[in-house]
Amino acid sequence: MVNNSAVTLPLFPQTIETKESTKREPKASSPLDKIAQAYWKKCLHIIKDNISTKVFETWFEPIQALAWSGNQLTVQVPSQFFCEWIEEHYYHLMQETLLRVLGEKAKLQYEIVVDESKETLEQRTIKLPALKFPPAGSQNALPFGKISQARKQVPSALNPRYSFDNFITGDNNQLASSAGMAVSKNPGGTRYNPLVVYGDTGLGKTHLAQAIGNEIVRTNPKISVLYTDSEQFTMDFINAIQNNTQSKFISYYRDIDVLIVDDIQFFSGKEKTQDNFFHTFNALHQAGKQLVLTSDRPPKELSGVDERLISRFQWGLTVDIQKPALETRIAILRRKSSDEGIELSDEIIEYLARHVTTSVRELEGTLISLIAKTTLDSREMSLDLAKEVVHGAAFKEPRPLTIDDIKRTVSDYYKLPVELIESKSRKHEIALARQMSMYIAKQLTNLSLKSIGSHFSNRDHSTVLHSCQTIENYIVTDCKVKASLDKLMSIL
């Protein structure tokens, strides 16, 4: 009979000390258990935004929050392999997430159910699979809400796993990669300032941005580099206001030599934060400091962002990253499988590359899921298993449709820039595209008329209602407009 016991592990150890403890029995949730679950839910929300759906479901959904005691959160993982994999692949993401949610002094402990019939419970050192960077001490945590004026104390918050060496370049990202390399060799000294990289989710924007930072740190260790995102910048600004430390906040961000800000589209609607970032941008740019920004769309298509900021975002070079072609996807899979120490046949690699086309992140997530099945379920690596994994990924619920999706689709269909559709122009073809966008938004989203209008240069609800009625009239009287609507609905 298998005798199970629980093992509690400290967060991100280089050596793991195990000790025997009693396996937890189901019991009614205590207030502290509910606090643990609430904290872990917040952590999962942040983690989910930074990895693919497949990776999240494979490695994070199975983790359960057990208890909160003092400043320690205890979570249970299904196996020791889970612990080792997370330590190896998601150390920095977990570290930053926990610091953000739980604070600097908080601790995380894993509780692992081990099979005593296979292992002796005694102290041992575990080497993590495919370990390339030491999990402890390789990266300082982001100073969540804490502002330091000392340049030497500025943490980069860069993940050393992201580099130019493992950034696969293809036709889809050649210009972005070349521009990034040029910036890393001469930060602040090229015409590419700011460098704005945009593209859909999961195509490698964050990888490239961090690769730029890591290359600068590697070749110019005296240059201070900070990687952050719009949400963290906003949180630091709010904390500075609450703690009356605005002057330290200003000094901290303006003393950086290279500032990398991810997901600038989330500055939308945050007027005070935008105003502060505007002045930070000006100060850094005028001082010859380098700015690298990423977004899910071109600066000119950012809604809810001050025109002054958009103008400055366009001062340097704006480059896009598109979906990788088949050959690039094959190269990515070969590189990633090699990095994980897994040998895949050409048949399996080509099958994955042909059937997983959404993003690089989903491609990597499918590969990780395939590896997990061979490791956790003791399945043999085969084409049939690859088909099973891809088939499972194909039926995931798609993300909700957004108005930006609708505007881009209508823009492509009518061959009109998005900004024209959002404009005040009353030209027939532009007004029709705008009315079509509003009508489709009303049909395919749960947004109110007022909310829809806010995405079209803050038009009021009556304008949206009029647009919807106009399209409904066209459907009855104009077969061409009806055909266009049917085509757009089919695409969306």
Side-chain angles (χ1 to χ4, degrees):
M1 180 179 294
V2 175
N3 182 15
N4 290 325
S5 64
V7 178
T8 302
L9 304 178
L11 175 61
F12 312 128
Q14 292 188 55
T15 60
I16 300 178
E17 180 180 338
T18 65
K19 58 182 180 180
E20 185 174 357
S21 62
T22 306
K23 185 177 180 180
R24 295 173 181 259
E25 298 296 333
K27 62 179 182 178
S29 295
S30 69
L32 291 180
D33 292 335
K34 291 180 179 178
I35 292 174
Q37 293 165 8
Y39 278 143
W40 184 238
K41 185 177 181 181
K42 290 182 179 180
C43 290
L44 290 178
H45 180 73
I46 295 173
I47 291 169
K48 189 174 184 179
D49 283 343
N50 288 276
I51 57 178
S52 71
T53 301
K54 194 71 178 178
V55 171
F56 179 79
E57 292 173 349
T58 302
W59 298 106
F60 290 95
E61 278 193 349
I63 301 176
Q64 297 180 352
L66 294 179
W68 172 257
S69 177
N71 63 344
Q72 179 175 293
L73 175 65
T74 301
V75 297
Q76 188 176 72
V77 295
S79 70
Q80 189 160 301
F81 177 77
F82 253 73
C83 171
E84 294 175 6
W85 187 279
I86 291 171
E87 296 269 307
E88 156 64 7
H89 294 84
Y90 305 109
Y91 165 75
H92 300 287
L93 174 60
M94 287 282 284
Q95 181 196 45
E96 294 177 12
T97 300
L98 290 162
L99 285 173
R100 182 178 300 184
V101 175
L102 303 178
E104 286 189 342
K105 296 182 179 180
K107 298 178 181 178
L108 179 75
Q109 283 194 333
Y110 294 123
E111 187 166 286
I112 303 173
V113 177
V114 297
D115 185 346
E116 287 184 353
S117 66
K118 296 181 180 178
E119 294 198 38
T120 301
L121 291 180
E122 53 187 34
Q123 187 174 17
R124 65 191 186 278
T125 297
I126 296 178
K127 292 182 179 179
L128 304 181
L131 182 61
K132 298 175 182 62
F133 303 98
S138 63
Q139 175 186 333
N140 293 323
L142 281 171
F144 296 110
K146 292 188 68 178
I147 309 302
S148 169
Q149 297 184 61
R151 171 177 294 235
K152 63 181 180 181
Q153 295 179 2
V154 173
S156 68
L158 293 166
N159 186 336
R161 290 178 61 86
Y162 293 126
S163 68
F164 283 109
D165 288 340
N166 57 25
F167 184 79
I168 305 299
T169 302
D171 292 340
N172 63 306
N173 58 16
Q174 179 66 59
L175 179 58
S177 178
S178 299
M181 183 61 76
V183 165
S184 69
K185 290 180 179 179
N186 188 16
T190 70
R191 295 180 180 179
Y192 314 146
N193 194 18
L195 174 62
V196 180
V197 182
Y198 73 91
D200 289 338
T201 300
L203 295 182
K205 300 187 300 296
T206 296
H207 186 148
L208 179 59
Q210 292 216 29
I212 294 170
N214 280 317
E215 183 66 13
I216 292 172
V217 170
R218 186 184 70 82
T219 56
N220 301 280
K222 293 183 179 180
I223 293 180
S224 60
V225 179
L226 175 64
Y227 167 84
T228 187
D229 57 33
S230 57
E231 180 184 2
Q232 185 57 48
F233 184 90
T234 302
M235 291 301 298
D236 284 347
F237 178 54
I238 292 172
N239 287 330
I241 294 174
Q242 291 177 341
N243 299 324
N244 196 27
T245 56
Q246 291 98 318
S247 60
K248 291 183 178 180
F249 170 86
I250 292 171
S251 298
Y252 175 75
Y253 274 98
R254 298 185 190 181
D255 195 37
I256 302 295
D257 292 321
V258 179
L259 179 60
I260 303 170
V261 184
D262 219 346
D263 292 325
I264 58 173
Q265 71 271 12
F266 293 124
F267 279 137
S268 176
K270 301 169 183 174
E271 295 180 3
K272 293 294 184 182
T273 302
Q274 287 183 41
D275 186 61
N276 196 283
F277 187 70
F278 170 79
H279 294 294
T280 298
F281 183 103
N282 281 348
L284 291 174
H285 196 276
Q286 290 172 9
K289 308 298 180 67
Q290 180 68 48
L291 293 112
V292 179
L293 313 172
T294 75
S295 173
D296 66 353
R297 71 205 72 173
K300 62 183 180 181
E301 294 183 13
L302 291 171
S303 60
V305 176
D306 194 315
E307 287 295 333
R308 298 181 304 166
L309 266 180
I310 292 177
S311 172
R312 279 154 179 78
F313 293 160
Q314 295 175 312
W315 276 355
L317 177 66
T318 300
V319 292
D320 70 328
I321 294 182
Q322 300 174 359
K323 292 182 180 180
L326 173 64
E327 294 79 6
T328 306
R329 297 198 297 273
I330 290 174
I332 291 171
L333 286 170
R334 284 178 176 164
R335 180 58 181 267
K336 295 297 179 181
S337 60
S338 175
D339 289 346
E340 300 300 338
I342 302 295
E343 186 174 345
L344 296 180
S345 68
D346 291 342
E347 185 181 37
I348 292 176
I349 287 178
E350 184 169 346
Y351 182 84
L352 294 177
R354 286 189 179 279
H355 290 82
V356 183
T357 61
T358 308
S359 70
V360 176
R361 187 176 296 165
E362 288 297 332
L363 195 64
E364 293 177 353
T366 303
L367 176 62
I368 290 173
S369 181
L370 182 61
I371 294 172
K373 282 193 174 292
T374 62
T375 307
L376 298 178
D377 299 341
S378 299
R379 302 280 296 278
E380 181 181 353
M381 184 69 74
S382 66
L383 180 60
D384 287 338
L385 181 60
K387 289 179 179 179
E388 181 182 320
V389 171
V390 171
H391 178 76
F395 289 93
K396 298 301 176 185
E397 183 179 351
R399 67 175 177 82
L401 189 70
T402 67
I403 289 187
D404 286 330
D405 294 329
I406 294 170
K407 287 193 289 189
R408 281 195 289 269
T409 302
V410 173
S411 168
D412 291 341
Y413 182 82
Y414 284 105
K415 294 180 172 53
L416 293 170
V418 171
E419 59 266 27
L420 268 184
I421 295 176
E422 296 172 335
S423 72
K424 302 290 186 181
S425 173
R426 295 187 178 183
K427 288 185 178 180
H428 175 71
E429 63 272 19
I430 298 173
L432 177 60
R434 183 187 309 123
Q435 292 164 345
M436 188 72 80
S437 300
M438 292 181 179
Y439 177 82
I440 293 173
K442 183 66 174 67
Q443 299 301 312
L444 299 184
T445 72
N446 294 321
L447 298 176
S448 65
L449 296 177
K450 181 178 180 180
S451 181
I452 292 172
S454 69
H455 288 79
F456 293 86
S457 302
N458 290 319
R459 286 175 166 82
D460 59 32
H461 73 282
S462 61
T463 302
V464 179
L465 182 60
H466 172 73
S467 297
C468 292
Q469 291 173 340
T470 299
I471 296 299
E472 287 178 353
N473 292 336
Y474 274 131
I475 293 173
V476 178
T477 61
D478 193 322
C479 59
K480 186 176 180 179
V481 172
K482 185 179 186 306
S484 296
L485 174 62
D486 291 342
K487 179 64 176 178
L488 285 166
M489 295 291 274
S490 175
I491 294 171
L492 290 164

